[in-house]
Amino acid sequence: MSDANVRIPEEAKERLAAIAAAEGLSLRAYLARLAETLLTPAERAERAEKALAALKEWNGYAPTAAEEQDLDSELDRRLAQVTSQ
């Protein structure tokens, strides 16, 4: 296993270390686990494509690009509303 040096703000390092400690992990172990669980943009796109294909096969759901944009906008609006409270 190779080591890597990553420069991040001290506050971010302290926060990550606190989260890791709360889970009983070292910062190194926490970051390794985090890297294993996050998806790359290509992986996210592939999963989204598979989900849309499954929905279409299951119930015929096949939104147009405009419908997807409308739904994304509505989700963004609702998330903004919840996070501003």
Side-chain angles (χ1 to χ4, degrees), residues 19-68:
I19 294 167
E23 295 188 24
L25 298 170
S26 67
L27 179 55
R28 179 182 181 153
Y30 179 77
L31 290 174
R33 187 180 76 179
L34 184 63
E36 291 172 3
T37 61
L38 294 176
L39 300 175
T40 66
E43 291 167 333
R44 282 194 304 274
E46 181 182 354
R47 283 195 182 184
E49 187 177 311
K50 286 181 180 179
L52 277 175
L55 284 170
K56 184 175 183 180
E57 181 179 329
W58 176 57
N59 67 3
Y61 181 71
T64 65
E67 290 170 329
E68 285 184 15

Side-chain angles (χ1 to χ4, degrees), residues 72-85:
D72 285 346
S73 295
E74 178 63 13
L75 179 59
D76 289 343
R77 185 190 69 75
R78 290 182 184 198
L79 287 172
Q81 186 178 33
V82 169
T83 57
S84 67
Q85 293 178 353

